[in-house]
Amino acid sequence: MSTIPDVCHWDHECVTNSVALILMQLLKGFVPRDLAGNSAFRNLVSCTDDKCTLTLSDYYSVIKGLDDASIKDGVAKVVSLIDLGDVPGLIQLLINMDLEPGIITVDENVSINIKGELGARVNEALGIALYSIAAYDNAITRFSAAAAIYEGLGNVSKARFMEAMSKIARAEDLRVKASRLHEEGKHDAEKDMIEDASKLYASSVVSFREAVGIEEARLMRC
């Protein structure tokens, strides 16, 4: 397992920039010169006239060994450096690396009001990522935003799919809350909540079917 070189004595700025450096390398294949030069990994960076690359290979282990605050700070730095078009790729990278603090940070630092197809894709990706870490309230917000944008763009199939995901997230949230009610001995309230969750699950199936049916009809017209 690779370790961070002791060139910054583990001060906070270097740890933060090390996370940003690695994520930029994985996302873009290179890193900005100013970020590379200010990183704890700067002795492992190779630069040409236009870009720098990192030679360290055990990226995942290095980041996973850091605390949540350092991961959040590093991800926030990356968000500030990349274009909005790169955000879905960053989100997928964070999912693949199982970096829950990073997913939360993207949600906190990327506006929900991005317009057009890009806004829909960003909100969709964030909704899925937040759902994957059981941050259901935030996932519902992102799915709803994506559904509204897709609807406005005339992509009804995608809008219905996002609506279905929103219902699933709401049902999962109710299921978790019902489990807590069970532990508290509040069984009548638990039963009501489970019934509401079941209705949402059933309704989501309808939305998924609508999404598939609309897409199939579109393909047949083509």
Side-chain angles (χ1 to χ4, degrees):
M1 173 178 171
S2 301
T3 57
I4 296 178
D6 187 21
V7 296
C8 294
H9 308 292
W10 285 90
D11 68 67
H12 185 68
E13 182 180 11
C14 283
V15 173
T16 297
N17 284 342
S18 297
V19 175
L21 184 83
I22 291 173
L23 290 176
M24 285 291 288
Q25 174 77 30
L26 290 172
L27 179 65
K28 309 268 299 174
F30 62 89
V31 291
R33 271 185 175 275
D34 57 347
L35 186 60
N38 193 33
S39 170
F41 291 133
R42 62 177 174 265
N43 289 346
L44 298 176
V45 173
S46 174
C47 293
T48 62
D49 289 340
D50 58 343
K51 66 181 180 179
C52 298
T53 55
L54 183 63
T55 58
L56 180 70
S57 60
D58 197 1
Y59 304 109
Y60 178 79
S61 296
V62 171
I63 293 182
K64 287 296 286 184
L66 299 176
D67 58 73
D68 287 2
S70 296
I71 293 171
K72 287 181 177 181
D73 286 345
V75 172
K77 179 71 171 178
V78 173
V79 171
S80 73
L81 289 170
I82 63 176
D83 297 327
L84 284 175
D86 292 320
V87 171
L90 173 62
I91 295 167
Q92 187 58 56
L93 176 60
L94 295 172
I95 292 174
N96 294 345
M97 296 181 75
D98 194 27
L99 291 181
E100 180 174 329
I103 293 170
I104 293 170
T105 301
V106 177
D107 184 42
E108 293 172 345
N109 285 272
V110 174
S111 172
I112 199 168
N113 297 315
I114 304 168
K115 305 299 182 183
E117 179 74 22
L118 177 58
R121 288 196 296 110
V122 168
N123 283 310
E124 177 182 358
L126 264 173
I128 292 170
L130 291 162
Y131 177 83
S132 74
I133 62 172
Y136 298 123
D137 285 343
N138 288 16
I140 292 165
T141 300
R142 291 290 180 172
F143 284 139
S144 297
I149 298 172
Y150 279 129
E151 189 84 39
L153 293 171
N155 193 337
V156 182
S157 174
K158 267 291 197 179
R160 295 296 172 270
F161 187 85
M162 291 296 96
E163 290 169 3
M165 289 302 302
S166 180
K167 291 173 183 177
I168 288 287
R170 286 161 58 197
E172 286 292 293
D173 188 42
L174 288 176
R175 183 186 60 79
V176 172
K177 291 175 179 175
S179 178
R180 292 178 189 148
L181 290 172
H182 179 80
E183 293 173 359
E184 295 169 1
K186 300 176 181 178
H187 300 303
D188 288 340
E190 174 197 1
K191 179 182 177 183
D192 291 341
M193 201 162 283
I194 289 174
E195 289 177 353
D196 289 341
S198 297
K199 291 175 183 176
L200 282 167
Y201 284 126
S203 180
S204 72
V205 172
V206 174
S207 296
F208 279 129
R209 286 176 176 169
E210 288 178 352
V212 172
I214 292 168
E215 182 62 17
E216 287 178 344
R218 186 190 69 81
L219 291 173
M220 288 181 66
R221 287 196 300 271
C222 294

